[in-house]
Amino acid sequence: MHTFEFGRPADAAAAIATAARAKTAQQGADVRFVAGGTTLVDLMKLNVETPGRLIDINRLPLDKIEATADGGLKIGATVRNSDLANNAVVQRDYSVLSQAILAGASAQLRNMATTAGNLLQRTRCMYFRDTAMACNKREPGSGCPAITGANRMLAVLGTSEQCIATNPSDMCVAMAALEATIHVQGAKGSRAIAFGEFHLLPGSTPERETVLEPGDLITHVTLPAPLAGSKQVYLKLRDRASYEFALASAAVVLTMKGETVTGARVALGGVGTKPWRSHEAETALVGQAADAATFRKAAEAALRDAKPQSENGFKIELAKRCLAYALKTAATA
Amino acid sequence: MPAGADLPRIDGLDKLAGRAAYVDDLPTPGAWHGATVRSSVPRGKIRDIHFDPAFDWNDITIVDHRDIPGPNQLKLIDVDQPVLAAGEVRHKHEPILLLAHPSVHKLRDALRAIRVDVEPLPAILDPAAPLTPDLIQYKSDNVLKHIDIRQGDPGPVFARAAHIIEGEYVTGSQEHVYLETQGMLAQWQDGRLTVRGSMQCPYYVLDALTHLFGRSRDAFRVIQSPVGGGFGGKEEYPSLLAIHAALLAEKSGAPVKMIYDRQEDMAVTTKRHPSRTRHRTALDKDGRLLAMEIDVLLDGGAYVTLSPVVLSRGCIHAAGPYFCENIHIRGEARLTNSPPYGAFRGFGAPQTIFAIERHMDVIAARIGIDPVELRRRNLVRTGQPLATGQIYKEPTDLPALMDRALDLAQYKARTQSHAEFNKSHPFLRRGIGFATFHHGAGFTGGGETYLASEVWIEGKPDGTVELQTAQTDMGQGTTTILTQVVAERLGIPTEQVRVATPDTSRVPNSGPTVASRTAMVVGKLIEQACDDLLHQLGRKSGDPEISDDIRRHASLPGKSLVGRAKYQKPASIQWDDKTYRGDAYATYSWATYVADVEVDLRTCRVRVTDFVALQEVGRVLNTTLATGQIAGGVVQGIGWALYENVVLEDGAMKNCQMTNYVIPSAGDLPPIRVVFEERPSHWGPGGAKGIGELPMDGPAPAIVNAISRAVTTTINEIPVTPELLLKATEGRGHG
């Protein structure tokens, strides 16, 4: 680990002012906000991230879960994953979020990890995490050995010639399906970012993972008012029962009238370079009978553009089954 | 407290409370840190080494092969492995240079300021790949060791067999994942070197140092620090690390500590040998084994290291605990340009036992006989020979042992209820499977004779005794067990027994802590040393005067009171290392393991839902420790069968972080029911036999037999990953 400065600003404005001096808010940033540290400190130990300055935001007043005026929910940036998953309102109205968080990491990590930190979780691609290897995400232009190498865990959706790294978050998959909004305070004021626009596809700039600019501080996330009578399921397939990233996961929020699907929001995890909202699957579901054939069609639609690499082709079939299984579970819940 | 009475682990509380000082915890004022510059390619010629001129190299100690005072050889079975590459590299991560500096940070910067120019040479990464002359790197054919075991003449038997069944079985590598990574601390003082560190075999380290530095044994002192797990991974590798630390310490003039982090440890140290075993078996119409032809191929990696003896144990166990008059086992360990594979709990036997126990189920399915019945007809019985001609003389009725395990697992009832369940459930499939197997305790063949182990027990002026052996406690309970053995043999309370820290300046060479030999072989020697001590005192075990006698004798000026014992080969053991005929081991432990599994056809997930581990291991010395050791081995076996996938890139482990090398979590484990059948054996102390490796052998075949039955398909490869299962059940999981 490299040496770094550590500061604890008095308020958000001071934090933002310090961070705004950085050249980037993306990979290679020399200034980083730190909250739970469960991703960042790990990557600093591996020298994958080498910030010169850490800004501790744990003491900023960003740790509340509150109702919003329009019947939704406001979740502070430093709300711990455990607290969010176990919040009574979340469990009742946004259970897919609770399920997703509890499907990730370990109890100890969830006690530390925060909402904003989870939004910024980095990939577990082993080339990214190994500084002896080339990696376009870590060192732009150095190449992507994963494409011809060990890519079993890597993405099949949203990949590019430059990067096939998987977004590892479970929480984000649920938030994508819940149509969350991310609220940012930055050097130029505040703004709200729709969840689907927050993460970027790797394209030719895999080092850029989000739309954040230097100084941007995520203050909170809002969820819209819950859909009345919605059925929510998060299903995660992984190599072991606990403490393991997804091979494939699916978050589904369904509304039904009788045996017909009237509304559907679907997102996939473990298979995309970003949390993968599937409008294709949703279109294939709405207005259709809630049966196995529909669910399989929706799953086929969700993975239609999937591109397998040498070792991860099985994830396409696994993701289809995962989504179909999640839809069936939700429909019969 | 007598043996068998579950003396609590002597080292337990210190480890639990964080008081145990592992090598990285040792206070070492003035110590420098050491690091290694390694090859980035599997094979090549070192053209040049560039040191960035902008970097200040003044206070960095740099060691290369020219700094080695004696032969640049890691002394093991062969001497083909250099400790630092000179001119050519044979595997990725091969050490080329060593660096030391007081600051870890500067050391890391220095590593980055070095570039090694290597001209790649053709590498062989698959031991079965066809050989071209440019790939040959060991003798004429890259064969590190060849073994032939012959009994009878299988060839002609196939012509008259009712059934001929063939199969090929493949096992992957496995990483030890001990909690404490490898580490060594070396310090020269007055021309004498002291090495402390994490190791299983202090005298192996001593031998390797003596050879490399070309000095006498007196110049070296090797001390084991508390070890956080070994599983074979700290059998041979610590010798290399100790040499590296010693070279840096000599050149820098400072104590040098080398501690691998997890990533380096996983990437560069030894692992389980990947294997491929082919069976061709002739049976009569009733399923009796008539002839077995078995080909075992191990990937040895780039140097010989321990591959010959791993292959040996693998081959000896390859025909299983069965009687067959005609057997030919051919084994080869071949060179590849992978980092050398090495010792790992089971030592070749888990690989070949996976093959034979899967093959027995494949045979049963193919000829339409119950797998229980097939084994019942073939399990070795009193007076019959095993593959090396060793006659079965043990008291255990193996079919009865198997039946007991199957009863404990409700095998019959579950076989039936699973069949019903599988007919009615849309996507879940249940299966129960088992393996019958054995594991030889102690070194193979003449190994124990060669080791000539020695143990001492010294009476102290305070009336206590100190046991002096080189046996290391790496968490398996050696200190506790050996304390019990001494206390029981002398008839004194365990509180009056101390066990000396393995320190080559103080303890005799009682051999390495490997091969399930410590409790049984060394334990037996300890009994003899205790008897010698009693003889010197003119006392019988349990005499109340023993402590007073010890106090008096040990207090006499100029006198010492030491009971001694040295291994003598029992006349009843006959072994011919040339023909591989005879008593391969003094004795074996015997077991039947039963696994119950549930497979989700949709998600391709396997869950082991119940596990019975029944074994006959002689007398159990400490039920708590023995149960823990068996359960731990079962977990490691479950990991090898289902989760642990060593991904190789350029021949070396790529997924060398715990985030991408998956070992089972508590949530993946079934209840593990450990049951002992106790039949005291005269080979070990108080009737004990070795148990350390046995539990690694049975889980993989039992689990894969269960999966194969659950999904009615043949799976002959581990680990059984979701993708493997998806392929094997293609089209059956659309939910």
Side-chain angles (χ1 to χ4, degrees), chain B residues 145-160:
Chain B
K145 176 76 178 176
H146 179 96
I147 284 173
D148 264 291
I149 298 176
R150 288 171 189 277
Q151 175 154 277
D153 185 9
V157 180
F158 283 88
R160 58 176 169 86

Side-chain angles (χ1 to χ4, degrees), chain A:
Chain A
M1 192 185 282
H2 288 240
T3 48
F4 57 89
E5 283 177 41
F6 178 85
R8 190 176 276 154
D11 53 29
I16 291 163
T18 308
R21 292 201 291 269
K23 285 190 207 68
T24 175
Q26 306 292 331
Q27 174 62 34
D30 51 339
V31 183
R32 282 257 182 241
F33 295 123
V34 64
T38 53
T39 293
L40 182 59
V41 175
D42 263 12
L43 292 176
M44 287 170 68
K45 286 184 191 166
L46 295 169
N47 296 312
V48 170
E49 294 243 26
T50 53
R53 179 184 286 250
L54 291 191
I55 305 171
D56 178 6
I57 61 164
N58 282 298
R59 296 194 184 175
L60 299 183
L62 303 172
D63 60 346
K64 301 283 186 301
I65 303 174
E66 300 158 302
T68 60
D70 62 356
L73 201 65
K74 176 182 172 187
I75 304 159
T78 60
V79 169
R80 306 289 149 175
N81 283 181
S82 296
D83 293 333
L84 183 55
N86 293 309
N87 179 276
V89 177
V90 173
Q91 287 182 333
R92 187 189 67 209
D93 295 337
Y94 308 99
S95 77
V96 68
L97 179 58
S98 183
Q99 295 170 49
I101 291 171
L102 294 176
S106 64
Q108 293 89 338
L109 285 168
R110 294 192 295 266
N111 287 343
M112 288 301 292
T114 61
T115 310
N118 203 327
L119 289 171
L120 301 174
Q121 210 182 140
R122 312 294 308 272
T123 184
R124 311 302 287 193
C125 173
M126 52 183 112
Y127 298 91
F128 171 70
R129 292 169 62 87
D130 180 354
T131 54
M133 303 299 296
C135 169
N136 286 327
K137 189 183 276 298
R138 199 179 64 250
E139 288 174 46
S142 61
C144 177
I147 288 174
T148 51
N151 51 44
R152 173 178 185 266
M153 293 295 288
L154 299 181
V156 291
L157 289 166
T159 57
S160 73
E161 299 285 301
Q162 277 73 41
C163 184
I164 57 171
T166 318
N167 182 296
S169 175
D170 291 299
M171 183 196 82
C172 286
V173 183
M175 284 193 172
L178 290 169
E179 299 195 323
T181 302
I182 296 162
H183 299 265
V184 170
Q185 212 177 314
K188 297 174 205 153
S190 303
R191 64 191 198 280
I193 304 163
F195 197 90
E197 286 159 21
F198 181 76
H199 295 96
L200 299 171
L201 290 173
S204 57
T205 53
E207 73 280 11
R208 287 190 63 80
E209 293 177 355
T210 66
V211 296
L212 293 178
E213 295 294 338
D216 279 350
L217 174 69
I218 297 170
T219 54
H220 61 282
V221 174
T222 53
L223 301 178
L227 293 173
S230 70
K231 297 164 177 242
Q232 306 183 12
V233 166
Y234 186 75
L235 177 68
K236 178 176 180 180
L237 307 184
R238 46 187 155 171
D239 280 321
R240 66 181 156 198
S242 175
Y243 199 23
E244 183 57 42
F245 294 91
L247 290 168
S249 72
V252 302
V253 179
L254 280 189
T255 51
M256 290 169 53
K257 191 171 179 187
E259 293 302 305
T260 304
V261 179
T262 54
R265 292 194 207 138
V266 171
L268 300 173
V271 287
T273 52
K274 61 183 242 177
W276 200 260
R277 174 87 181 262
S278 178
H279 296 288
E280 298 84 349
E282 294 167 6
T283 306
L285 287 163
V286 176
Q288 304 297 314
D291 58 21
T294 300
F295 299 151
R296 182 71 196 183
K297 264 186 211 158
E300 296 284 354
L303 276 298
R304 187 162 298 136
D305 295 331
K307 184 177 177 232
Q309 306 292 336
S310 56
E311 295 175 352
N312 68 358
F314 75 102
K315 286 174 68 168
I316 297 175
E317 176 60 22
L318 214 55
K320 289 178 188 173
R321 293 180 180 193
C322 181
L323 177 53
Y325 186 4
L327 287 166
K328 186 177 174 191
T329 309
T332 52

Side-chain angles (χ1 to χ4, degrees), chain B residues 49-66:
Chain B
I49 301 177
H50 300 278
F51 295 85
D52 182 350
F55 188 85
D56 171 18
W57 295 100
N58 275 323
D59 53 354
I60 304 260
T61 295
I62 303 169
V63 164
D64 69 16
H65 65 94
R66 292 167 301 183

Side-chain angles (χ1 to χ4, degrees), chain B residues 549-572:
Chain B
D549 279 4
I550 290 173
R551 197 173 290 123
R552 201 168 47 247
H553 273 77
S555 301
L556 292 174
K559 290 273 185 184
S560 66
L561 175 65
V562 183
R564 296 167 198 271
K566 191 164 184 172
Y567 181 84
Q568 303 268 325
K569 184 178 81 68
S572 59

